[in-house]
Amino acid sequence: MQSLNISESGFGYIFKCIGLYYEGNFYFLLYLAALAFIFVKGGRRMKEVFIPQFIVMVLTVYNPLFPVALNSLFDVNKEYYRFLWMAPVVIAMSAVSVMLITGYTKDMIRGCGLFLFIACVFIACGSFLYKEGYIISPNIYHMPTEIPEVSRIIHEDSDREYPRALFEYDYNMLIRQYDGRILLSCDREAYLNAISGNLDYMKAMESEDDQDRLLAAIALNIRLPEDVFKESLERTDTEYVVVTTGNEITGYLKGLGFKEVGRTANHTVLHYDLKEEPEFELADYSEVWSLTPQLYDRLI
Amino acid sequence: MTGAFFGVLFIGLNLILYFMFGALFMPSGKREPSLTRTVFTGFFFYYLLFTVVCIPVTLRWRPLHVLTRLWLGAVILVILIAAVRLVIIRNRLITCIKKAFMRSGRDMALMLLVAVMVMAFMAIVLFNYQFTLDASFYVGNVTTSITTDTLNIYDPFTGNWLDHFEMRYFFATFPMNDAVFCDLLGIHPLIWCKITMSGTALVLSAMVLYMISVRLFDNDMKKTAIFMFFSLLADFYMITIYTTAAFITTRTYEGKALLGNVVLPGIIYIYMLLLDDVDDMANWMLLLLLALGSPVLSSSANMLVPAMIGVTILPLCIIRKNIKVIPRSLICMMPGVALTLMYVAYVKGMFVFYTYPR
């Protein structure tokens, strides 16, 4: 969990962790209630399946001392919450639902009523996955429709097999899932760093990383001095920039020498003529293979 | 549409493959074979064997298509051996299939209801569009491998050449298996990952829940149907960015979704088997197979599987008053522990695997 730190939270870490893990739903409470029901009313088998594991988790994962001790050996800040996956929350809750519906009523109508009631509890105590709307995938690639179009525009315009481009955040994360032949100027970590408030004009100017200067413009709409930005374009071999049509940065980019080479419904593809031809070729490993022969090399 | 059709068809291909791999372990003695347990076993054995083939090819910097051809050969060999075994035990297999499907009308109707629920769940998840950040790595890695015909040599995020293999993902060869099948079948990585593998993960997740409920409720189909309904319903409502439900409904194509929704509940299933007979070595071997096969899905398994075994299986030594549970559990924890220590050594700079000979 990025927002939680074991060293800072100390023994209160596990409570905050559980709180964040189940934020917006009461399933942990329902799980505890299910365990209590199993402990009191469950048969031997039910108790053996669910209770011992819970006891061990209380002594370890749910124990306030445990994350602190573990973090002193390994950095588990980002991943401690995955230990919470071990609790069979859904299985226990569903098992108790079955016990209630089939064990406490023989009447069909009452059984159906109880079934509906428990379903309402599940719904009311949870956080619905599609609460902000269910979006149907626009195509079989599960990609915005414009991604294939943008890819086509870039490849039709470029003389190179592997053109390098820079996109706004979402398309920067999506494009290489669809098209591995479009190289990116900025990687995911640099982009996340830029949009999380860690980048401004001064930091971009002082940074030794050209990605910061490119992202300052495209992600944050910061206008750097033209010569500085052009240098970063040249050093990163960035030929294409794709922005939302109407983005204010477009005027700045055109002033630098970018030309529009294509447009989709909502995006504009801009091309920049680099001074030097970028050289990207796939590494040739044939000599490596001949130096390290393997039995299966005839399959090459 | 053709792509989508084949994407869905290949879900069946995956399940048949896992079944054939699992058929190698189908019991021929007194123990009754089980279709779901065969698929479950075969799934882990499949990925374990794939890693054994993939790692040496990767370390020697061979292209993806070499791995594809080697793996195709291995799969054909396994299928042939499995087919011979199935012919040998055909009578028991036929009995097993009859027992599974020839039930009372009421039970058949309930099984059909469960199947309909699972398919509805799958349809809702598969038709949905989700933007998830990690797809840029997991799917990007498959696309990059296909485009460059290499294995983990180019950065999925940018396409730049990498000078060393990232050990965090090196043994998690799950995406490389995706790349092999995209190479073999000529299918786009997005269709394979977001339709075929997502669908496969959803079926396996439902299958493990089904196996647990059959065990828990002594094969009572009415109780199983109710259990499955509430389990699938909960998967739509126990949603934060951290929960296993979020992974199986939004990040279904990732190895972590399988870890949280197949592996960990699978350990609970094995625990239930061991509760009935703690000395049954077949169940311990299944646990070991799971422990060996799960790091392939996600590097998080290196930590989680030993922890889950410690939390769930180890208490058996007290519950069943059997001291042998301890060494058996420790052996099953070893694969994850070994890989974790290996990763720690890498982070501390003790070794690096380069993407070129040095």
Side-chain angles (χ1 to χ4, degrees):
Chain A
M1 285 171 172
Q2 311 283 33
S3 55
L4 266 187
N5 186 287
I6 296 176
S7 304
E8 287 170 11
S9 304
F11 297 134
Y13 173 83
I14 185 59
F15 304 107
K16 292 178 187 172
C17 183
I18 292 174
L20 268 180
Y21 185 88
Y22 290 99
E23 192 175 27
N25 71 71
F26 296 96
Y27 273 47
F28 190 62
L29 293 176
L30 289 179
Y31 171 57
L32 294 177
L35 288 173
F37 183 88
I38 290 169
F39 185 72
V40 172
K41 292 284 190 182
R44 184 181 171 206
R45 184 174 193 75
M46 278 286 184
K47 287 179 186 172
E48 283 181 340
V49 171
F50 294 106
I51 304 298
Q53 198 232 29
F54 177 71
I55 292 172
V56 177
M57 283 192 72
V58 166
L59 295 172
T60 53
V61 175
Y62 298 142
N63 184 338
L65 299 174
F66 188 73
V68 176
L70 193 63
N71 198 51
S72 65
L73 298 169
F74 308 101
D75 180 8
V76 291
N77 274 298
K78 286 185 187 168
E79 281 149 9
Y80 190 86
Y81 77 88
R82 298 214 180 126
F83 287 125
L84 301 182
W85 287 4
M86 298 194 293
V89 173
V90 168
I91 296 171
M93 285 168 55
S94 303
V96 166
S97 303
V98 171
M99 287 168 66
L100 287 169
I101 293 166
T102 62
Y104 288 87
T105 172
K106 289 188 168 53
D107 184 280
M108 178 87 160
I109 294 173
R110 281 192 183 157
C112 289
L114 197 49
F115 178 93
L116 287 170
F117 174 73
I118 294 174
C120 290
V121 169
F122 271 52
I123 291 168
C125 292
S127 174
F128 187 44
L129 172 62
Y130 305 117
K131 63 185 175 202
E132 285 168 23
Y134 180 85
I135 303 171
I136 295 178
S137 176
N139 50 53
I140 58 170
Y141 299 110
H142 283 66
M143 283 274 131
T145 322
E146 292 178 60
I147 287 275
E149 284 180 55
V150 165
S151 167
R152 181 187 54 78
I153 291 170
I154 290 175
H155 285 300
E156 278 178 1
D157 183 73
S158 176
D159 298 327
R160 284 166 262 292
E161 194 181 356
Y162 293 91
R164 195 176 293 273
L166 174 60
F167 298 77
E168 288 163 330
Y169 174 72
D170 50 352
Y171 276 36
N172 210 69
M173 303 302 158
L174 290 170
I175 188 70
R176 282 190 57 80
Q177 296 177 47
Y178 175 78
D179 183 351
R181 287 192 299 131
I182 291 180
L183 307 177
L184 294 178
S185 312
C186 299
D187 65 29
R188 186 179 78 164
E189 294 312 309
Y191 228 119
L192 291 174
N193 184 59
I195 63 173
S196 58
N198 292 329
L199 189 64
D200 57 23
Y201 179 87
M202 287 311 299
K203 285 178 184 167
M205 290 295 290
E206 289 164 4
S207 173
E208 291 177 4
D209 190 344
D210 286 306
Q211 292 181 97
D212 289 336
R213 278 183 279 284
L214 297 176
L215 290 169
I218 303 307
L220 303 176
N221 215 348
I222 295 173
R223 285 157 173 71
L224 300 174
E226 285 189 9
D227 55 334
V228 170
F229 192 76
K230 280 183 183 178
E231 263 182 37
S232 294
L233 288 173
E234 295 286 345
R235 280 198 291 261
T236 57
D237 292 337
T238 305
E239 291 184 83
Y240 292 91
V241 170
V242 179
V243 292
T244 309
T245 303
N247 189 328
E248 292 171 9
I249 205 70
T250 310
Y252 167 74
L253 293 172
K254 284 183 175 175
L256 292 171
F258 276 89
K259 293 185 175 51
E260 184 177 322
V261 295
R263 210 180 256 221
T264 62
N266 298 297
H267 289 80
T268 303
V269 181
L270 302 165
H271 175 253
Y272 180 78
D273 279 321
L274 295 168
K275 286 181 198 162
E276 285 181 25
E277 288 267 323
E279 291 174 17
F280 179 88
E281 283 180 358
L282 293 182
D284 183 1
Y285 276 83
S286 51
E287 204 174 308
V288 170
W289 300 332
S290 60
L291 289 173
T292 58
Q294 303 294 311
L295 284 171
Y296 45 75
D297 277 347
R298 60 184 61 194
L299 295 174
I300 294 177
Chain B
M1 284 310 290
T2 317
F5 169 75
F6 280 109
V8 172
L9 191 71
F10 292 141
I11 297 172
L13 169 70
N14 274 337
L15 295 172
I16 291 169
L17 265 182
Y18 302 151
F19 178 82
M20 295 306 283
F21 273 68
L24 298 179
F25 298 90
M26 251 188 174
S28 52
K30 288 183 186 172
R31 183 197 303 281
E32 275 187 19
S34 153
L35 295 176
T36 49
R37 180 171 168 154
T38 303
V39 172
F40 183 75
T41 308
F43 171 73
F44 291 104
F45 180 57
Y46 173 90
Y47 279 102
L48 171 62
L49 195 61
F50 178 77
T51 290
V52 168
V53 175
C54 179
I55 296 291
V57 176
T58 307
L59 280 174
R60 293 289 99 187
W61 314 291
R62 272 13 185 211
L64 169 67
H65 74 262
V66 167
L67 177 60
T68 303
R69 290 167 190 176
L70 275 174
W71 185 238
L72 180 63
V75 166
I76 290 171
L77 182 64
V78 168
I79 287 175
L80 287 173
I81 298 172
V84 168
R85 182 163 173 76
L86 287 172
V87 166
I88 292 170
I89 62 167
R90 63 186 177 281
N91 291 333
R92 293 169 55 76
L93 179 63
I94 291 168
T95 308
C96 165
I97 293 171
K98 278 184 184 170
K99 197 175 171 187
F101 292 106
M102 293 201 172
R103 301 176 183 229
S104 68
R106 173 180 172 268
D107 275 4
M108 286 306 294
L110 287 166
M111 279 182 77
L112 194 60
L113 180 63
V114 169
V116 168
M117 283 194 288
V118 172
M119 283 194 289
F121 181 75
M122 284 174 66
I124 292 170
V125 173
L126 291 179
F127 277 107
N128 181 231
Y129 172 77
Q130 289 280 345
F131 172 83
T132 53
L133 200 53
D134 280 355
S136 60
F137 175 78
Y138 293 106
V139 181
N141 199 3
V142 181
T143 310
T144 301
S145 301
I146 290 287
T147 305
T148 59
D149 193 24
T150 58
L151 297 164
N152 288 326
I153 285 181
Y154 290 89
D155 183 1
F157 296 123
T158 60
N160 295 335
W161 180 78
L162 297 167
D163 72 346
H164 68 279
F165 295 111
E166 175 51 61
M167 288 310 295
R168 185 175 173 183
Y169 304 110
F170 186 73
F171 290 101
T173 58
F174 181 75
M176 292 302 105
N177 182 72
D178 291 343
V180 160
F181 273 87
C182 292
D183 187 33
L184 187 64
L185 301 171
I187 194 169
H188 194 284
L190 279 166
I191 298 175
W192 180 263
C193 292
K194 295 202 174 181
I195 298 179
T196 306
M197 288 315 295
S198 292
T200 306
L202 290 165
V203 170
L204 289 171
S205 165
M207 188 188 78
V208 172
L209 288 171
Y210 176 83
M211 288 158 68
I212 288 173
S213 71
V214 162
R215 198 93 207 154
L216 210 49
F217 303 115
D218 294 322
N219 220 2
D220 184 327
M221 281 312 302
K222 180 180 164 190
K223 291 180 180 177
T224 294
I226 297 171
F227 178 88
M228 290 299 294
F229 173 81
F230 284 111
S231 299
L232 297 176
L233 180 69
D235 273 341
F236 286 122
Y237 284 90
M238 195 174 88
I239 300 293
T240 65
I241 59 171
Y242 307 109
T243 60
T244 52
F247 276 78
I248 199 64
T249 51
T250 63
R251 299 167 68 170
T252 328
Y253 46 84
E254 290 185 30
K256 281 199 281 288
L258 286 161
L259 173 61
N261 295 277
V262 175
V263 175
L264 298 183
I267 293 175
I268 291 176
Y269 169 72
I270 296 173
Y271 169 70
M272 291 166 72
L273 295 174
L274 289 169
L275 272 175
D276 290 339
D277 186 351
V278 74
D279 285 318
D280 188 341
M281 289 311 293
N283 296 328
W284 285 106
M285 290 308 295
L286 179 58
L287 183 64
L288 181 61
L289 195 58
L290 180 150
L292 288 166
S294 51
V296 179
L297 306 174
S298 169
S299 52
S300 297
N302 300 343
M303 169 186 79
L304 268 178
V305 168
M308 186 72 173
I309 292 173
V311 159
T312 307
I313 308 285
L314 261 181
L316 267 176
C317 69
I318 297 173
I319 297 169
R320 288 292 179 261
K321 299 182 180 61
N322 189 322
I323 198 80
K324 290 181 194 166
V325 167
I326 297 175
R328 290 169 184 166
S329 299
L330 289 175
I331 289 170
C332 293
M333 290 160 83
M334 278 301 105
V337 170
L339 287 171
T340 302
L341 291 175
M342 201 165 172
Y343 178 67
V344 170
Y346 161 77
V347 167
K348 291 192 183 301
M350 290 182 187
F351 75 93
V352 171
F353 291 144
Y354 290 97
T355 58
Y356 59 99
R358 277 174 57 116

